[in-house]
Every structure is written in C-alpha cells, then in structure tokens.
Amino acid sequence: MAAGSEATTPVIVAAGAGAEEGEHVKPLKPEKAKEIIMSLQQPAIFCNMVFDWPARHWNAKYLSQVLHGKQIRFRMGMRSMSTVPQFETTCNYVEATLEEFLTWNCDQSSISGPFRDYDHSKFWAYADYKYFVSLFEDKTDLFQDVKWSDFGFPGRNGQESTLWIGSLGAHTPCHLDSYGCNLVFQVQGRKRWHLFPPEDTPFLYPTRIPYEESSVFSKINVVNPDLKRFPQFQKAQRHTVTLSPGQVLFVPRHWWHYVESIDPVTVSINSWIELEEDHLARVEEAITRMLVCALKTAENPQNTRAWLNPTEVEETSHAVNCCYLNAAVSAFFDHCRTSEVVEIQALGRDGEHMKKEELNVCSHMEVGQTGSQNLTTGTGKPEAASPFGPDLVPVAHRSKEPPSERGGIFGSDGKDFVDKDGEHFGKLHCAKRQQIMSNSENAIEEQIASNTTMAPSQTFISTDDLLDCLVNPQVTRIVAQLLIQGRSL
C-alpha cells in the first residue's frame, strides 16, 4: 500500500436498507445499536439515526444566535502542506464570537476584528473541544437536543458531549484516544477522516509530546508524510471516509484518526463512550503523566507551554501526579472487586453452569492484548454469527482519489457502494493483519533505529527521545501490569 493512498481497507456503513429518512423509521433499535458499538472493532457510519434530533439544525449561524455574543477560543493554523504536524502547541489562539468567526470566514473581516492578523486565505480556525457543560452553562435545556439514547445509552445527551466548529482546512493532528470509543455526529459541512487500526501503532511513531491527558499523538503528518524519516508508515493500513451531515461515525477504541474539514464551515458533536478497559488505561495514563511531567519540568521549569497542550490546564506537580496515580490504581482495584461481585451474583441468579470470562485483575490486564484477535467483535472469541445484514454493510474499495472528490462514501443517488457478494469485510486482509501483529515488536525497534539513522552525525539524545521510549503505549501497558501485579500479590 502506498502511504499517500486515500483509500485502502474499507470502512463499514450502518444503514437502513428499507428505511428512507422521509419514512421516519430508524433502521436500528437502541439495544441493537449499542450491541454493535460495544462489539465492533471497525469504524462504522450510522445513517438515518438522527433525523429527528433537534441538534440536526445546529449550524454555525444558529449557534451564533444561541450563544449571543459569547466569546470562545479558536485555534489558528496555517494552510500549508508541511510534513510536520501542526500540534496545538505551535498554533496561535483567538478569543472571538461565532458572529466574528462567520464574518472572517466569509472573508469580510475588518482590520479591527479579533481575526485581523490572520489572512483568511492563509489560515484556518477551529473552535474545538467545546464541552456543552461550560459552553451552554446557562442554557442547559439544549442538552436534550442531542439524544445518544437512540444508540443504546439511556439518559446520555448533550451534557456528555463536545462541540467542534471549524473552517476549511481546520484539522486535528493524527492521534488515538486512550479512553473509550467515540461517536461523532456531523451537523454541518463535511469532514474527511483518516483512520488507522490499533495494531498499526508502531507504524504511526507515537509520541506524548505535546502532552495531553488521554491523547497519544503521531509524529507523522499522515496527509503529507515524510517517508524518509518515518519509513515504517508505509506499512500502515489507512481507512478514509468522508462524513456528511446527518451521519454518525463510530470510532472504535484506540483507532488512530486524523480529521480535516473539507467545507467552508463544519459543525460536529461527539461523545466518548466509557468502556471496561478504561480502568486499566487510566493507570497507564497516570504513569505517563508522572514521567512526562517529571522529566519535562526538570528540563525547563519555566517553559511548560512548549510541551503541555493548551487544553491541558491541570496541575503538573509531582505530588499531585502521585495522588493521581494512586487514585487510578485504587479505582482499578475497586472496579475489579465490584465486577467480581456482580459476576458471582449474576451466575447465582441465572443458575448458569457455562464458563464465563472472569472479571479479575488478570483478565483486565489482558484486555487489549487479545482484543485484536477477532477483527469483527471485541470479545477475542470466535464469532457465533456475522453481525452484518441490511442494516450493517461494508463499503467497497474505492479508487485512490480522495473520497470527497467523488461524493464521499455515497454516489450521486445517495446509496451505498456495496459489493454484490457482500464478502469484502470477511476478506479484510486477515493474513496481512496477523503478519503485522507478529512483527509489531520488531517494528518498534526499527522505529527507534530510524530516528537515529536518519542523521548519523546527530548523536545527541534529547529528553523527548527518551520519553518516546519510556511512555510508548506498549511500554506503559507493561509497567501498569507490573505495578498492579505488585499490589495484588
């Protein structure tokens, strides 16, 4: 696969084959949607599931009226094709209203406006990570406009959601989220998503600088990669899809993603869904936080902004991070004990004698290691039956041109491009994935070697170089396991 390919392995689309939006019939019941979300390990798009949500009409103009002059922070980035990612630590920030943003975005900005120093033809603006709770603190009734209960999560609404508003070119650097899975509702405009599976982590050259709690960044600009510096990226399995208004994208746990706005104005709403595996992930994150903060603060106590993401405003002292680590470990054991009690009670009530997966310390630590064995569900067990049918169908392979240039994942008639035999997902490069998994350890070694061989005369090892090894996701997983085992003996 060429690293610059825009479409490789397919993304799955959940759609109602016999349910048009005009019929006001949702193709999936909440319990079925949740079953898919909690088991599927491939990205999926749900269609015809949000046509009755009031938030369906939350375009930027409407939101500017709702927020009524409230200032929000916009991240300003350059419209460039550099091979270096535009991390948040390298961007400038502007405090402005949505009205001012829309005026600037129409290229009608005045010299006195907050965007006066940013030529619209050279910059993009992104109001990202806007949590509903703080954004609509005096308009909490708006929380009900988002109904994640339709996806099987009763009571979940805007209160557990985040708003994203961007201009053309606005993007999020390639990263994975340490916790949960992600549901993303596209409201206005289109966004192109570049996704890579968890087993491709060694090929994405992970780094924790800049540091942001729960985000692991890639050193690579995946839309313009430097293959000389990062040769292993050529082995990564890129999935691309264009998310259009009215669609909801499901991003499984630990899938890497780079997200870019491809229309003049985009509005998205997302919610991260908690998972059982998050309890161990929080221990790993606490270890990472302690190491990064300790080494980077010791390196330069006066310059935290150079390595700490602007969205990360929590205290970084060693004492506070020690408390954070202890709290994460305690919460992990509390969850394990609670899970064991629940499991025993459930077995007693049902009178079942079949062996179930034990919810103990060992099984929690093994989560993630076995999760990739089954490419369809998250159980790591053989499939009893395929979950695919008229409401969950795979998208066929596309040409190498960007999906947006051919109308995204849909043709001009609005129907899905699906292979007639319906077998594409079952042939999702299983042999190739198994080979990648078996070679992942060697890939990490090659990754480290490539960073040093690219410039033979440059022998200096920086703090960041050391941290890339110490807080590599696979290393922190091992450290967390050892830490927990030491406390459970």
Side-chain angles (χ1 to χ4, degrees), residues 213-243:
E213 204 264 346
S214 81
S215 294
V216 181
F217 291 101
S218 170
K219 293 182 179 180
I220 303 170
N221 180 352
V222 298
V223 296
N224 189 28
D226 183 347
L227 296 179
K228 189 173 182 179
R229 184 180 180 189
F230 306 112
Q232 291 294 315
F233 180 62
Q234 297 179 84
K235 299 180 182 179
Q237 302 171 85
R238 184 193 302 259
H239 299 57
T240 58
V241 67
T242 299
L243 194 63

Side-chain angles (χ1 to χ4, degrees), residues 109-260:
S109 58
S110 65
I111 58 173
S112 59
F115 295 97
R116 61 184 176 274
D117 296 327
Y118 300 95
D119 185 335
H120 180 264
S121 65
K122 298 178 181 178
F123 288 87
W124 48 259
Y126 206 5
D128 52 2
Y129 284 105
K130 298 296 179 279
Y131 290 92
F132 277 42
V133 171
S134 57
L135 194 62
F136 303 114
E137 55 189 350
D138 55 345
K139 298 179 176 65
T140 55
D141 55 311
L142 290 175
F143 294 166
Q144 306 305 320
D145 287 8
V146 179
K147 303 177 182 296
W148 298 116
S149 55
D150 284 346
F151 290 86
F153 302 96
R156 196 179 194 94
N157 53 42
Q159 189 167 3
E160 298 84 17
S161 303
T162 309
L163 184 69
W164 309 69
I165 304 171
S167 65
L168 179 67
H171 65 268
T172 303
C174 188
H175 69 285
L176 66 81
D177 300 318
S178 302
Y179 311 140
C181 58
N182 197 0
L183 287 174
V184 186
F185 167 33
Q186 192 63 26
V187 180
Q188 179 182 4
R190 296 168 302 157
K191 282 186 172 179
R192 183 181 297 131
W193 286 71
H194 301 252
L195 303 112
F196 302 87
E199 57 265 33
D200 281 357
T201 293
F203 312 139
L204 272 295
Y205 298 81
T207 182
R208 297 311 303 266
I209 305 298
Y211 177 76
E212 177 181 288
E213 204 264 346
S214 81
S215 294
V216 181
F217 291 101
S218 170
K219 293 182 179 180
I220 303 170
N221 180 352
V222 298
V223 296
N224 189 28
D226 183 347
L227 296 179
K228 189 173 182 179
R229 184 180 180 189
F230 306 112
Q232 291 294 315
F233 180 62
Q234 297 179 84
K235 299 180 182 179
Q237 302 171 85
R238 184 193 302 259
H239 299 57
T240 58
V241 67
T242 299
L243 194 63
S244 299
Q247 299 175 346
V248 174
L249 174 66
F250 164 63
V251 182
R253 181 176 188 263
H254 285 182
W255 272 70
W256 292 84
H257 46 286
Y258 173 102
V259 190
E260 56 182 336

Side-chain angles (χ1 to χ4, degrees), residues 319-366:
V320 169
N321 289 335
C322 281
C323 292
Y324 182 37
L325 175 60
N326 278 277
V329 173
S330 296
F332 175 84
F333 282 116
D334 288 344
H335 174 73
C336 290
R337 285 190 289 268
T338 302
S339 298
E340 288 172 350
V341 170
V342 171
E343 184 75 9
I344 292 170
Q345 290 176 344
L347 286 171
R349 284 196 305 269
D350 300 338
E352 296 177 357
H353 297 289
M354 59 183 295
K355 185 176 181 181
K356 292 190 174 184
E357 182 180 2
E358 296 180 359
L359 295 175
N360 55 25
V361 173
C362 292
S363 65
H364 275 272
M365 291 192 295
E366 289 167 0

Side-chain angles (χ1 to χ4, degrees), residues 177 261 266 474:
D177 300 318
S261 298
T266 60
Q474 294 191 18

Side-chain angles (χ1 to χ4, degrees), residues 10 19 48 57 96 99-100 119 136 160 171 174 189 227 251 273 275 315 319 329 341 404 413 437 441 450:
N48 303 324
H57 307 289
E99 292 96 332
E100 291 168 330
D119 185 335
F136 303 114
E160 298 84 17
H171 65 268
C174 188
L227 296 179
V251 182
I273 307 300
L275 298 173
E315 177 64 51
V329 173
V341 170
S404 60
D413 60 356
M437 289 298 291
E441 292 184 3
S450 68

